[in-house]
Amino acid sequence: MERDTHFIGQSSAFLDAVERASRAAAVRRPVLVIGERGTGKELIAQRLHHLSPRWGEPLVTLNCAALPETLIEAELFGHEAGAFTGATRARAGRFEEADRGTLFLDELGNLSMAAQERLLRAIEYGEVVRIGSSRAVTVDVRIVAATNADLPRMAAEGTFRADLLDRLSFEVITLPPLRAREGDVAELADYYGRRMASELEWGRFPGFSGAAMEALEAHEWPGNVRELRNVVERAVYRWGDEAAPIAEVVFDPFVSAWGLRAMAEVVPAPLPCAAEPEMPSEAPASLRDAVEAHERGLLLAALERLRWNQRKVASALGLTYDQLRHCLKKHGLHQGRA
């Protein structure tokens, strides 16, 4: 396996899914891989191919969500010259390219009903017909499909062919989300942190502080491993000090005290008996003075409302802890109650 196709993890839920993929690899039947975004569906497809008797043949991938509906069938089954506007020459489809190998269909739930019907026929009879041709081409292709959609529900609603779902679901491998993989966050964070430190040519990887690791393990990870990799690599890159454990982790890089979203969310909701923002007794001398006075008033109101708990204040104002500390120091509030 290549460097970027390693499986990192030790949780039983994750290892069970990998073991099921390893067992299914030797069987020539279709496999359906289910999982949230970023859980590693494509890595499972690669494992199914490389551990199968077809490992020396092509592994062809098609993302069904990346192409408009009008081009999906041409990509899958190919076309003859002149079959449609722009088809200046004949072209083999992904089925023919994957002959004797594996065809990985990602985002399967995005296939149109017409493409689903042709896909079912290709799987059932091992034949494809290029668009604009009447001659069937025999192919030997093992199908691996992946999706994060609820295909059984779609079949019940009539938006996905039930007979195609039956044909594809000889084996269904459901990948657990990262939040359900107990103990794997720390292992993955260490792996990607060391890789980033090596890329930055650090002499050593200092690891994460206890508080930073607690934050990583407490996060819900809606983007799963892909999101974790970005967060960890960003933390290492921004830290820049290989001698000290990494103590700051930014989960949302779009959060900023000066961003549009922060400005829209910075005003705390009024609460009963909440302290009013402190305003200057005299008219401000300039717009900058007015803005700074208003910012200081907002900070004071939030601090009083949350009993000067700085971490709660940072969360309420949409700031990181370090951004809040910067604002407090700027307005002379970092020493405690004004």
Side-chain angles (χ1 to χ4, degrees):
M1 294 280 185
E2 298 295 328
R3 184 185 186 194
D4 288 330
T5 61
H6 290 167
F7 285 97
I8 308 298
Q10 59 183 0
S11 66
S12 58
F14 174 69
L15 294 179
D16 286 348
V18 174
E19 174 60 22
R20 178 172 290 188
S22 301
R23 293 181 60 188
V27 185
R28 298 178 59 182
R29 302 293 188 275
V31 176
L32 191 56
V33 185
I34 308 293
E36 297 178 5
R37 61 186 174 93
T39 49
K41 296 186 290 295
E42 188 166 357
L43 293 184
I44 290 293
Q46 293 175 7
R47 187 176 190 85
L48 286 163
H49 176 73
H50 291 303
L51 294 183
S52 76
R54 299 169 181 259
W55 65 271
E57 301 296 338
L59 169 61
V60 177
T61 298
L62 175 64
N63 187 328
C64 301
L67 294 170
E69 182 178 325
T70 53
L71 294 181
I72 284 288
E73 292 187 57
E75 282 292 322
L76 277 174
F77 309 110
H79 60 79
E80 297 293 344
F84 50 84
T85 303
T88 57
R89 59 187 179 85
R91 182 182 181 280
R94 301 298 174 92
F95 264 95
E96 292 181 64
E97 293 175 1
D99 191 25
R100 298 186 303 277
T102 303
L103 176 58
F104 174 50
L105 300 176
D106 200 7
E107 303 292 348
L108 180 72
N110 291 86
L111 275 184
S112 67
M113 294 298 285
Q116 290 177 35
E117 183 176 357
R118 296 192 64 173
L119 175 60
L120 176 61
R121 181 172 181 82
I123 297 172
E124 287 281 2
Y125 301 105
E127 293 181 347
V128 295
V129 179
R130 293 184 183 181
I131 297 176
S133 173
S134 58
R135 182 176 62 88
V137 178
T138 300
V139 291
D140 174 19
V141 175
R142 198 254 183 105
I143 299 292
V144 176
T147 184
N148 58 9
D150 187 347
L151 294 185
R153 179 183 59 80
M154 291 176 64
E157 295 173 351
T159 56
F160 194 88
R161 291 185 64 103
D163 46 2
L164 177 58
L165 181 59
D166 291 339
R167 192 67 181 84
L168 290 173
S169 56
F170 167 79
E171 176 63 287
V172 178
I173 299 172
T174 303
L175 297 178
L178 185 56
R179 59 185 174 274
R181 293 171 52 177
E182 185 176 356
D184 284 356
V185 168
E187 189 169 350
L188 285 160
D190 182 74
Y191 174 75
Y192 288 122
R194 290 181 183 278
R195 282 186 50 173
M196 191 62 187
S198 175
E199 184 177 332
L200 295 173
E201 298 183 348
W202 287 10
R204 58 184 290 270
F205 174 58
F208 291 91
S209 69
M213 184 55 69
E214 286 181 9
L216 288 171
E217 292 181 330
H219 190 60
E220 286 296 308
W221 299 113
N224 293 289
V225 178
R226 186 182 295 118
E227 180 190 2
L228 180 141
R229 176 177 176 175
N230 279 338
V231 169
V232 168
E233 291 181 346
R234 183 189 307 122
V236 176
Y237 151 75
R238 289 185 176 183
W239 188 245
D241 182 4
E242 60 185 276
I246 298 166
E248 182 176 352
V249 178
V250 177
F251 294 100
D252 186 353
F254 294 96
V255 171
S256 169
W258 304 275
L260 295 177
R261 184 169 62 182
M263 294 301 293
E265 296 177 351
V266 72
V267 181
L271 292 177
C273 303
E276 291 295 325
E278 182 183 72
M279 299 299 291
S281 57
E282 299 180 358
S286 67
L287 176 62
R288 175 178 294 180
D289 292 340
V291 170
E292 291 192 355
H294 186 61
E295 184 178 279
R296 189 175 193 275
L298 291 174
L299 285 170
L300 273 173
L303 287 165
E304 292 293 342
R305 179 164 56 92
L306 297 171
R307 301 178 183 272
W308 290 75
N309 185 315
Q310 293 183 10
R311 294 199 178 277
K312 290 184 178 180
V313 170
S315 177
L317 296 180
L319 304 174
T320 66
Y321 180 73
D322 286 342
Q323 288 170 344
L324 176 67
R325 292 291 299 171
H326 172 79
C327 291
L328 294 178
K329 187 174 182 181
K330 170 183 168 184
H331 293 289
L333 301 173
H334 60 293
Q335 299 294 340
R337 297 178 183 270

